[in-house]
Amino acid sequence: MAKIPNMNQLMQMAQNMAKDMEEKMNSLEVEGNAGGGMVKVVMNGHKSLVSLSIQKEVIDPEDIEMLQDLIIAAINDAQAKVDEQMKSNMGGLPGGFPGMPGGLNFPGM
């Protein structure tokens, strides 16, 4: 039977996983767009907007609502891409601690 790590080892594993996830969030940048690329946003892993670009052809003073909708759609697109990237970066986390004997799980994790 494999030896289960002690509490200090578990805490170190959790800290390492948190540090790794934070590094991934800091380095991640995704682009969301709407209107065929007429409105683009860049968002980081913390879901903060890094940049926004709007093509001048989409700006119509008579139809501000369309521009507002395109901005919202681009932001939502970027947020969905951040969620997707972070989910795929989590790898073995949903199944418990990677490398643990028997895929050791803890309730609530």
Side-chain angles (χ1 to χ4, degrees):
M1 182 171 165
K3 183 181 176 189
I4 296 176
N6 66 32
M7 186 57 73
N8 288 336
Q9 290 171 319
L10 289 174
M11 292 299 292
Q12 185 63 44
M13 288 173 67
Q15 288 173 349
N16 289 342
M17 289 174 14
K19 182 180 176 184
D20 184 48
M21 186 58 62
E22 181 68 21
E23 289 173 3
K24 287 178 181 178
M25 290 176 73
N26 288 336
S27 65
L28 178 66
E29 282 195 358
V30 299
E31 181 180 288
N33 64 71
M38 299 294 280
V39 176
K40 294 180 184 179
V41 299
V42 174
M43 185 174 284
N44 66 22
H46 294 281
K47 294 187 179 179
S48 295
L49 287 179
V50 175
S51 69
L52 165 68
S53 65
I54 301 170
Q55 299 292 318
K56 63 182 173 183
E57 296 84 14
V58 79
I59 299 172
D60 179 359
E62 301 297 319
D63 194 3
I64 296 299
E65 291 82 17
M66 180 187 69
L67 178 57
Q68 292 168 337
D69 290 343
L70 289 172
I71 293 169
I72 290 169
I75 292 170
N76 288 338
D77 183 43
Q79 287 176 332
K81 289 177 180 177
V82 168
D83 289 341
E84 184 179 307
Q85 286 290 319
M86 294 309 295
K87 183 177 178 181
S88 70
N89 284 339
M90 290 187 65
L93 289 181
F97 284 95
M100 292 290 288
L104 185 60
N105 272 320
F106 295 97
M109 290 192 75

